[in-house]
Amino acid sequence: MPTPLRPPLRLGLAGLGTVGIGVVKIVQTHADLIAARSGRPVVITAVSARDRTKNRDADLSDYAWESDPAALARREDVDVFVEVMGGHEGPARAATEAAIAAGKDVVTANKALLAHHGQALALAAESAGHVIRFEAAVAGGIPVIKALTEGLAGNAMRRVMGVMNGTCNYILTRMQSAGLPYEAVFEEARQLGYLEADPNLDVGGIDAGHKLSLLAAIAFGTRVSFDKVELQGIGSVSIDDIRLADEMGYRIKLLGVAQMTGRGLEQRMTPCLVPTSSPLGQLQGGTNMVVLEGDSVGQIVMRGPGAGEGPTASAVMGDVIDLARGLRLPTFGQPAATLAEPVAAIAAAPCRWYLRMTLQDKPGALAKIATALGEAGISIDQMRQINRDDQEDDDAVVLFVTHKATPADVAHALHSFGATGVLLGQPVAIRIEDV
Ligand code: NAP
Ligand code: HSE
């Protein structure tokens, strides 16, 4: 006799955009497979969006409609509130709070909401015995939350890194392959519909910073602290730097790095040079990559689609099926009440630096810069003078690769270049990450 299935797990789905419709399609297409794997059917009972009349490319006729997502969250025929609307305030926050207060579990794809309110929401849910899951919020289809909270739970994590904004990786790799400037590729990305409604969420590093802050909380047992992420977007990355980095065997990536150092928790989402031959250096287009380093396991590299209907809905459904199976883990891998308040590292760990600048091409100019570096305690590893066709006769573009130096020492050196009287324009400093 086959084991009888348990009663259905009933979803209330708030948001019928890219991700929401992807969820509807998986629930409808794979109903049997999901029931077999969960030991019970998973059904959608009610949905919510702004515009009821919109053509949605899916049959929603079996589902009740709620125009207020908070009312959806409170419905008696909803067990799990699935929030795929977006935004860290407004309806997404209000409806998620309403769901928790009404005794529902929550599955969300909303990294902004959790980056800003994750600790408070997790505390509220856990104190009432409920669960918040958010696999889709970080790196789309890559099951990195599951990897960190389950498969790697026996490791002390050393470092978590990632390229977690597909739009930025598309822009940087396209600049490199087509030799186009940032502005031209940004416009291409806009035309292709890759950019968020507020493009600064992508190119300003904010979206990827949200994701990094969530990974850091799990990896280091600390409260989500997005406000302590050092953020620098890709708008200042020039085609010159991409070309010069390429000649030296590097690619420029918007790279997130979180690590617990002796000086506190370091979280940064900034452009970095990584070796072209490394997995991160090889990452092309809109794909994401997360690198996890644990004391026992060593390094794990996860690569896959970071966005889009199918991949993101796949991650949402992984969470839903875990709940249907009865798997109930704390939001950030340990009870929210036990997460430590992180001490932000006052200074980031030392690393090697790429420094590019334009100098007056006259005797002693280079020596003055080398002296300023030395006085800032920075040792030079490599130095090149670049000869370009478009260059003025009395200009010299000079490139340094330094030995390891702290950001504070580099900032000090950059400041002191001004006093040499030979610097033209602004120098560029980009970290070189050992990956
Ligand atoms: P989207 O296509 O813009 O869809 C948003 C949906 O939410 C729409 O159906 C919209 O209704 C609905 N909505 C917005 N405000 C509402 C309100 N006040 N009341 C009721 N419904 C409301 O967004 P998406 O791309 O699916 O993203 C959803 C979430 O997933 C976001 O948090 C996003 O960051 C996250 N995410 C997205 C991706 C991706 O690839 N798209 C990847 C990872 C994570 P209408 O359709 O009626 O306007
Ligand atoms: N704008 C995001 C990206 C979508 O480009 O990766 C997925 O979070």
Side-chain angles (χ1 to χ4, degrees):
M1 284 276 287
T3 316
L5 292 179
R6 289 179 290 130
L9 185 78
R10 302 164 301 172
L11 310 182
L13 180 63
L16 294 170
T18 306
V19 183
I21 290 301
V23 169
V24 170
K25 288 179 182 170
I26 296 179
V27 168
Q28 293 180 352
T29 312
H30 292 320
D32 292 344
L33 173 153
I34 292 168
R37 290 179 180 167
S38 308
R40 62 196 294 199
V42 171
V43 298
I44 296 170
T45 48
V47 297
S48 179
R50 274 178 301 213
D51 180 356
R52 193 172 184 175
T53 64
K54 205 185 261 186
N55 180 4
R56 306 250 180 210
D57 184 30
D59 180 4
L60 307 174
S61 56
D62 283 348
Y63 312 145
W65 176 271
E66 292 282 357
S67 48
D68 175 6
L72 173 86
R74 287 189 282 261
R75 281 176 70 102
E76 290 206 344
D77 59 359
V78 164
D79 302 311
V80 177
F81 178 63
V82 180
E83 188 279 300
V84 285
M85 294 183 289
H88 63 83
E89 298 298 341
R93 182 180 179 189
T96 302
E97 288 172 348
I100 294 165
K104 319 291 182 180
D105 294 327
V106 173
V107 173
T108 181
N110 191 337
K111 54 265 179 175
L113 177 72
L114 292 181
H116 287 276
H117 306 297
Q119 176 68 14
L121 290 170
L123 275 175
E126 289 168 21
S127 64
H130 307 305
V131 173
I132 301 175
R133 308 273 312 209
F134 62 97
E135 186 67 76
V138 181
I142 303 176
V144 60
I145 305 297
K146 210 167 174 55
L148 267 179
T149 51
E150 296 180 49
L152 301 177
N155 285 259
M157 298 308 295
R158 299 217 183 283
R159 184 168 62 158
V160 174
M161 291 186 287
V163 168
M164 294 181 282
N165 183 278
T167 305
C168 289
N169 203 52
Y170 168 81
I171 292 175
L172 293 172
T173 52
R174 174 93 177 121
M175 284 171 72
Q176 202 268 329
S177 61
L180 290 168
Y182 172 81
E183 293 73 17
V185 182
F186 177 89
E187 197 44 44
E188 267 186 19
R190 185 199 294 282
Q191 308 244 338
L192 288 165
Y194 289 176
L195 287 159
E196 301 272 350
D198 172 4
N200 196 43
L201 288 175
D202 287 317
V203 297
I206 298 165
D207 167 81
H210 287 154
K211 295 166 183 170
L212 183 74
S213 71
L214 300 178
L215 290 185
I218 303 171
F220 304 111
T222 48
R223 293 182 193 170
V224 183
S225 50
F226 169 65
D227 58 333
K228 298 188 175 100
V229 179
E230 176 193 339
L231 283 182
Q232 187 192 333
I234 62 168
S236 59
V237 176
S238 77
I239 186 65
D240 286 346
D241 294 317
I242 286 184
R243 283 200 191 109
L244 291 170
D246 185 33
E247 287 169 20
M248 295 192 308
Y250 290 97
R251 293 277 190 267
I252 300 181
K253 299 288 174 193
L254 179 66
L255 184 68
V257 179
Q259 56 194 343
M260 189 60 82
T261 71
R263 299 168 306 285
L265 177 63
E266 182 179 334
Q267 302 178 90
R268 52 186 156 87
M269 182 59 67
T270 61
C272 287
L273 270 69
V274 297
T276 304
S277 57
S278 66
L280 282 161
Q282 291 289 309
L283 192 69
Q284 295 291 315
T287 311
N288 282 198
M289 182 172 284
V290 184
V291 179
L292 305 172
E293 294 175 354
D295 61 347
S296 297
V297 74
Q299 189 183 75
I300 289 192
V301 178
M302 303 178 85
R303 173 184 179 284
E309 178 184 298
T312 315
S314 159
V316 169
M317 288 309 297
D319 283 344
V320 165
I321 290 168
D322 269 353
L323 290 173
R325 286 167 163 162
L327 185 65
R328 303 184 68 75
L329 299 176
T331 311
F332 297 108
Q334 68 185 64
T338 68
L339 294 167
E341 182 64 40
V343 176
I346 27 172
C351 64
R352 296 191 305 137
W353 293 82
Y354 161 105
L355 304 178
R356 176 178 63 80
M357 65 205 77
T358 304
L359 304 181
Q360 292 175 7
D361 198 1
K362 65 179 191 185
L366 197 53
K368 287 185 177 172
I369 296 296
T371 301
L373 284 168
E375 284 173 353
I378 299 174
S379 170
I380 299 166
D381 179 32
Q382 297 172 42
M383 195 283 295
R384 276 178 62 194
Q385 181 163 335
I386 317 292
N387 294 314
R388 291 185 328 211
D389 296 341
D390 62 345
Q391 192 171 310
E392 301 289 331
D393 284 346
D394 49 1
D395 289 5
V397 176
V398 177
L399 179 62
F400 293 93
V401 173
T402 74
H403 285 293
K404 284 191 174 178
T406 64
D409 287 343
V410 170
H412 175 66
L414 296 186
H415 181 72
S416 66
F417 290 166
T420 61
V422 297
L423 182 71
L424 298 171
Q426 286 295 318
V428 171
I430 309 178
R431 281 185 171 89
I432 301 176
E433 191 71 29
D434 287 327
V435 296

